[in-house]
Amino acid sequence: MSIKRTPSGFVLALVSAVLLSACGGRSDPVSGSNGNGGGGGAVNDGDSILLNAMPPGSNGNSAGGLGAPAGAQLIYPKNFRDGLDLYGNLAYAKQGLRLADCQAPNNIDEHEEKSDLACNYFKHEGLEPDTVVSTTTLTAPNGKTVTIKRDGWGVPFVEGADREAAMYGFGYAGAQDRLWLYDVLRYVGRGTFSEYLGPAPDTFAFDADLANVAGYSEAELTQMVEATAAKFGTVSSLVLRDLDAQVAGMNAYVDFLKTPGAIGQVPPEYAALSVQPGNELLKFPPKAFRREDIVASAILIQSIFAVGGGGEHVALQLLQRLDPSFGPDSGAVPRVACEFWRDVRHANDTDTPYSIEARHATQSPANVS
């Protein structure tokens, strides 16, 4: 089983499998007893035309300059912001972008700030790395092998002998890239961010926001996992196996960081922030990750991204108030209610002054009757 990770995968994995996902990471080999080493040549997976540019970059750590003295030069990890440069440099693209003779760059060094080639501003979105910069080989708890290959952008491609091994590698690669972020999010998702990072207006505000939409107890977090196991049958057992394998991979990377071969790879946030006296939570190593940590992080993401929407239920209530006959069996929206709705809904009004006269096909709708 193969897994390809991109920065957008952070939300997708949480939503689809109640799993704390991660994104991309260092392209430098991780040395030590984990069987890491450099990779081979290109293994482009055909003529895929899919591309992406997901800022800030594949490495999600906030490392680099944290706690640095004023005026010090900030040195960020490799791949930390290369996606941001791709995205931002679109502003400098030459007029008349061409598709012909266009090969997406394999790393940030191959990217040109000013170019007339469209794909110069994107990464190849293949299922296999175009180039292999590093390879990490691991053994999952079930004895199966998993390989993590990273391309020139630091994006990891995880391939396991079976699903459990792949999910183990998924967790390991994610921890390589975002261990400190994972550590932070499980406290934010519990509404205990101020306990982790210390009392301050911002941390208290995070906790207060979570209390409004979540604020679950530890017992409730555990109950959510148990309810999932009881509700979805065979799918539940699959999700829980994925969850346990991913958590095991995350903890395996923490264990690796305790070895002599991991010198210099511990996220610097632990050293920079642990100077705060009396807070053992900020010191490395973090507490072992558990199922409940993943659920708490998923609650955080859900509370951020699932509270908006198009207000469809409000629109329905308005239409029903305008014409009580409107309902599931009424067929078309009553004419008077429909006309009033079209008049007051959020859209461009033909009588509204514009700063430009041009109209675009992407306007939705282009105008309102």
Side-chain angles (χ1 to χ4, degrees), residues 101 107 168 186 204 234 253 280 335 345:
D101 303 320
N107 52 61
Y168 178 81
R186 57 179 169 174
F204 285 142
T234 55
Y253 182 67
E280 297 298 319
R335 180 179 180 83
R345 69 176 294 236

Side-chain angles (χ1 to χ4, degrees), residues 240-266:
L240 293 181
R241 287 198 302 271
D242 286 349
L243 183 63
D244 289 339
Q246 183 179 3
V247 168
M250 295 165 64
N251 288 328
Y253 182 67
V254 174
D255 289 339
F256 166 67
L257 290 179
K258 301 175 187 177
T259 67
I263 294 176
Q265 297 178 44
V266 174

Side-chain angles (χ1 to χ4, degrees), residues 39-130:
V43 287
N44 195 311
D45 58 332
D47 298 323
S48 171
I49 61 172
L50 300 178
L51 304 170
N52 79 65
M54 298 181 178
S58 292
N59 188 308
N61 277 319
S62 58
L66 185 60
Q73 182 180 3
L74 303 185
I75 301 175
Y76 293 98
K78 197 168 186 178
N79 307 123
F80 179 79
R81 53 162 295 140
D82 47 15
L84 182 62
D85 290 335
L86 280 179
Y87 188 79
N89 285 345
L90 274 169
Y92 304 108
K94 297 179 180 179
Q95 293 294 319
L97 286 175
R98 298 184 293 114
L99 296 177
D101 303 320
C102 194
Q103 179 65 41
N106 290 317
N107 52 61
I108 192 62
D109 293 332
E110 294 182 8
H111 163 70
E112 298 179 29
E113 180 179 329
K114 300 178 181 180
S115 171
D116 63 349
L117 296 177
C119 75
N120 171 66
Y121 299 94
F122 297 89
K123 299 182 295 182
H124 183 214
E125 181 66 47
L127 295 177
E128 292 285 345
D130 294 335

Side-chain angles (χ1 to χ4, degrees), residues 107-184:
N107 52 61
I108 192 62
D109 293 332
E110 294 182 8
H111 163 70
E112 298 179 29
E113 180 179 329
K114 300 178 181 180
S115 171
D116 63 349
L117 296 177
C119 75
N120 171 66
Y121 299 94
F122 297 89
K123 299 182 295 182
H124 183 214
E125 181 66 47
L127 295 177
E128 292 285 345
D130 294 335
T131 58
V132 179
V133 175
S134 70
T135 301
T136 301
T137 302
L138 307 166
T139 301
N142 65 355
K144 301 296 181 63
T145 299
V146 57
T147 302
I148 304 171
K149 297 178 181 178
R150 294 185 181 270
D151 66 8
W153 299 98
V155 176
F157 297 73
V158 182
E159 184 170 352
D162 61 8
R163 185 184 182 95
E164 183 178 343
M167 290 305 301
Y168 178 81
F170 187 77
Y172 191 96
Q176 279 184 305
D177 298 338
R178 295 191 166 180
L179 175 60
W180 188 75
L181 178 62
Y182 281 5
D183 199 5
V184 170

Side-chain angles (χ1 to χ4, degrees), residues 202-220:
D202 288 342
T203 59
F204 285 142
F206 271 109
D207 291 345
D209 289 343
L210 254 293
N212 288 330
V213 296
Y216 298 107
S217 68
E218 205 65 23
E220 288 173 320

Side-chain angles (χ1 to χ4, degrees), residues 260-283:
I263 294 176
Q265 297 178 44
V266 174
E269 291 86 351
Y270 290 106
L273 295 175
S274 62
V275 295
Q276 184 179 152
N279 193 342
E280 297 298 319
L281 296 177
L282 290 171
K283 296 180 180 179

